[in-house]
């Protein structure tokens, strides 16, 4: 799993857990899967589709559930002395039962 995240607007420490998509009869290996009547993208396989101001779902480990969220920023990190880069995402969400917005900084695509 990725290292714990250390930023949230309400100073609550939260960890993002790497979540593997279980085999689903509807999943053709293209990074889409169905739960009930709703189809989802696997964030890791469809990272190019994760954009600023996009609605999404975010897995919150300490809640052990997916919550509705909003991508508030996409950060591209360039690795010095290489042509390599990777993306991290800043995500806003409301914890269940709360009216206080929380922000997760540096989320990985596999938690979206």
């Amino acid at each position: 799993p990725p290292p714990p995240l250390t930023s949230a607007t309400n100073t609550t420490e939260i960890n993002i857990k790497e979540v593997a998509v279980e085999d689903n009869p509807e999943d053709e290996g293209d990074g889409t899967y169905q739960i009930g009547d709703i189809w989802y993208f696997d964030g890791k396989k469809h990272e190019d589709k994760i954009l600023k101001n996009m609605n999404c779902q975010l897995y919150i480990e300490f809640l052990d559930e997916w919550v509705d969220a909003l991508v508030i920023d996409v950060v591209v990190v360039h690795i010095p002395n290489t042509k390599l880069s990777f993306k991290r995402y800043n995500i806003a969400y409301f914890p269940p039962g709360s009216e206080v917005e929380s922000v997760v900084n540096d989320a990985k695509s596999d938690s979206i």
Side-chain angles (χ1 to χ4, degrees):
L5 297 179
T6 57
S7 298
T9 56
N10 63 1
T11 68
T12 302
E13 298 286 325
I14 59 176
N15 298 320
I16 301 300
K17 178 179 175 183
E18 187 171 334
V19 178
V21 177
E22 305 231 7
D23 288 338
N24 185 315
E26 301 297 328
D27 184 359
E28 299 293 325
D30 63 353
T32 60
Y33 57 99
Q34 182 178 14
I35 298 176
D37 292 334
I38 301 172
W39 283 88
Y40 296 90
F41 285 116
D42 177 347
K44 192 169 187 173
K45 289 186 178 179
H46 291 277
E47 191 170 29
D48 60 321
K49 293 177 180 67
I50 302 173
L51 305 172
K52 185 175 180 175
N53 297 321
M54 184 183 91
N55 292 319
C56 64
Q57 288 199 326
L58 177 71
Y59 185 78
I60 306 297
E61 183 176 8
F62 75 90
L63 297 174
D64 192 29
E65 67 180 88
W66 291 89
V67 296
D68 291 330
L70 177 72
V71 178
I72 56 175
D73 201 10
V74 178
V75 179
V76 178
V77 179
H78 297 280
I79 301 171
N81 303 317
T82 72
K83 293 181 181 181
L84 302 175
S85 64
F86 59 91
K87 293 181 182 178
R88 290 291 185 260
Y89 306 90
N90 298 331
I91 311 291
Y93 73 98
F94 287 94
S98 175
E99 294 183 16
V100 178
E101 178 184 78
S102 292
V103 174
V104 175
N105 292 310
D106 298 324
K108 294 172 71 175
S109 62
D110 57 3
S111 63
I112 301 171

